[in-house]
Each structure stands twice: as structure tokens, then as C-alpha cells.
């Protein structure tokens, strides 16, 4: 069974640009890779430009090999829309103010997230 997640970046006007990730969305998988390898706006924008992905690897190049070609990057108008856009996701990761936030499904409960090795 897959642990699905959404990965997004909150924009200045409050919209969220995001993608779907099908595998390993739990904190020890996607969460760890986000905090370790995707920790600046430039690399996150490159990640989001891939559209939906099967899994998140340590580099854009490896992750791009896992990209689906039929689902583009999406935009939500609020955190509520972000969480409700994919009803079967288990985790929601959000880049804002140079840090990762995470929620397990409540749009009012995004907490600062980091993964310690």
C-alpha cells in the first residue's frame, strides 16, 4: 500500500502551488528527503515543475524519472483547498518562509517539520 502525500509551496498571495507524490509520503520517507535535499526555493520550484511524481529521490534528476506525464502542477487557493484537493493523501508538506511545515490532514494544523538523522 502507498503512503500518498502532497508537496507544496505557499506563495505570497496565499495560494499554494503543489504536486502529488504516490509513494513513501511518511515523514521518514518524503519528509526526510524534503528537509535534507529540497531546502531552498530554487530547488523546490524545480521539483514542483515536474508535476505529479511516483516517489521523491535525493536529486531532481532521479525524481524526474519517477514523474507521471499526465498530471501537472496544481494550485490551491488556501490551505483548506490544498488539504481537500486530494482526499486520500496521508501527509501534506508545505514550504513557507524558508522552512517545511507538515499536516496530517487538518488545514488549521500545519507544524514546522524537520527530520533529524
Amino acid at each position: 500500500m502507498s503512503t500518498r502525500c502532497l508537496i507544496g509551496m505557499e506563495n505570497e498571495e496565499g495560494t499554494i502551488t503543489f504536486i502529488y507524490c504516490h509513494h513513501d509520503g511518511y515523514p521518514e520517507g518524503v519528509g526526510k528527503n524534503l528537509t535534507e535535499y529540497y531546502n531552498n526555493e530554487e530547488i523546490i520550484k524545480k521539483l514542483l515543475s515536474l508535476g505529479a511524481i511516483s516517489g521523491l529521490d535525493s536529486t531532481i534528476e532521479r525524481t524526474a524519472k519517477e514523474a507521471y506525464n499526465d498530471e501537472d502542477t496544481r494550485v490551491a487557493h488556501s490551505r483548506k483547498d490544498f488539504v481537500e484537493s486530494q482526499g486520500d493523501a496521508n501527509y501534506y508538506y508545505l514550504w513557507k518562509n524558508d522552512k517545511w511545515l507538515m499536516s496530517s490532514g487538518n488545514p488549521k494544523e500545519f507544524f514546522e517539520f524537520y527530520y533529524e538523522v
Side-chain angles (χ1 to χ4, degrees):
M1 180 154 188
S2 299
T3 304
R4 296 163 296 282
C5 70
L6 297 182
I7 303 167
M9 180 168 53
E10 193 165 294
N11 306 305
E12 288 182 26
E13 71 277 3
T15 62
I16 297 169
T17 304
F18 70 98
I19 60 173
Y20 169 78
C21 179
H22 192 70
H23 294 286
D24 301 329
Y26 46 86
E28 298 84 4
V30 166
K32 176 183 179 292
N33 282 347
L34 287 173
T35 58
E36 193 168 342
Y37 305 112
Y38 298 86
N39 48 27
N40 67 65
E41 191 169 318
E42 181 182 341
I43 194 77
I44 294 165
K45 285 182 177 180
K46 287 180 183 178
L47 172 64
L48 297 177
S49 73
L50 297 176
I53 55 177
S54 176
L56 182 68
D57 210 311
S58 60
T59 68
I60 287 289
E61 294 78 20
R62 286 190 224 159
T63 299
K65 292 178 183 176
E66 299 290 326
Y68 298 120
N69 294 320
D70 60 348
E71 191 174 327
D72 292 329
T73 303
R74 296 186 274 171
V75 177
H77 297 287
S78 66
R79 288 185 182 184
K80 183 177 187 281
D81 289 345
F82 175 54
V83 169
E84 291 178 353
S85 67
Q86 188 75 36
D88 62 350
N90 303 98
Y91 295 96
Y92 302 83
Y93 297 97
L94 187 60
W95 179 258
K96 181 176 173 140
N97 297 330
D98 296 326
K99 61 186 170 189
W100 282 108
L101 307 175
M102 185 185 81
S103 175
S104 58
N106 185 335
K108 295 180 181 180
E109 294 182 359
F110 274 85
F111 301 98
E112 187 170 351
F113 176 80
Y114 57 93
Y115 186 85
E116 292 186 27
V117 180

